[in-house]
Amino acid sequence: MLINKAYKFRLYPTKEQETLIAKTIGCSRFVFNRFLGQWNDTYQETGKGLTYSSCSAQLTQLKKEFVWLKEVDSIALQSSLKNLADSYTRFFKKQNKAPRFKSKKNQVQSYTTKETNSNIAIVDNKIKLPKLGYVRLAKSREVEGRILSATVRRNPSGKFFVSI
């Protein structure tokens, strides 16, 4: 039997890592909102939305247009596209309302990255994350099993957490 379990730990990033986390959150929001606008336009014109694969192909072109998108974790940008595609799939199945634009003023900001080629790992009291390197964390318990993904969150008081 397959069991998924989540662990949440407090992060203590350095100033440089905090800046990179903020950039990654902002870029993920930018990509989500940009493609949501395109998706809405296509839906109004044709009655059908785009697909994840077509948006993913456009993402590489977008990185050439906006060079600052290359500074952050590419998997986080792809995850925001995947979330958009999933939310539109649920909308077409009448399970949810249409997806809305993400706001910078939302209290909790986050981004998700997937585990590929051991790019996410816990070593002693640090976690290795893509582009960030090793970030200090308050390890309250041992992580059992393999890590599938990590979601980095910043709450309203400015504290950082990671859910794996």
Side-chain angles (χ1 to χ4, degrees), residues 63-81:
K63 282 185 178 180
K64 291 175 184 168
E65 187 179 337
F66 300 104
V67 182
W68 42 268
L69 285 175
K70 290 182 182 178
E71 295 175 22
V72 299
D73 180 21
S74 62
I75 301 170
L77 301 180
Q78 291 169 357
S79 292
S80 63
L81 271 183

Side-chain angles (χ1 to χ4, degrees), residues 87-128:
S87 60
Y88 253 107
T89 303
R90 282 194 224 90
F91 169 66
F92 290 131
K93 289 181 180 177
K94 307 275 190 248
Q95 293 174 344
N96 283 6
K97 293 181 180 176
R100 298 184 307 200
F101 289 97
K102 292 193 180 290
S103 172
K104 193 175 191 177
K105 293 179 174 71
N106 191 2
Q107 292 196 352
V108 179
Q109 302 282 327
S110 68
Y111 75 90
T112 302
T113 183
K114 283 185 177 174
E115 197 278 339
T116 51
N117 301 331
S118 303
N119 63 349
I120 301 172
I122 294 183
V123 180
D124 297 327
N125 63 340
K126 294 184 177 183
I127 184 168
K128 183 175 124 185

Side-chain angles (χ1 to χ4, degrees), residues 5-13 120-127 129 135-144 147 149-155 159-164:
K5 193 171 185 179
Y7 297 93
K8 185 176 181 180
F9 300 111
R10 170 96 188 265
L11 285 179
Y12 297 97
I120 301 172
I122 294 183
V123 180
D124 297 327
N125 63 340
K126 294 184 177 183
I127 184 168
L129 292 168
V135 184
R136 206 165 57 89
L137 79 139
K139 188 173 171 189
S140 55
R141 58 189 167 182
E142 290 297 320
V143 176
E144 298 169 2
I147 298 172
S149 66
T151 301
V152 177
R153 282 188 177 84
R154 181 179 60 214
N155 69 6
K159 295 178 181 171
F160 292 92
F161 294 90
V162 64
S163 300
I164 55 175

Side-chain angles (χ1 to χ4, degrees), residues 2 4 6 8 20 23 27 35 38-40 42 45 53-54 75 85 91-92 120 122-123 125 127 136 146 154 156:
L2 196 64
N4 288 332
K8 185 176 181 180
L20 195 56
K23 282 182 181 179
C27 289
F35 284 103
Q38 286 184 10
W39 214 300
N40 287 340
T42 307
E45 290 171 12
S53 54
S54 67
I75 301 170
F91 169 66
F92 290 131
I120 301 172
I122 294 183
V123 180
N125 63 340
I127 184 168
R136 206 165 57 89
R146 67 186 180 105
R154 181 179 60 214

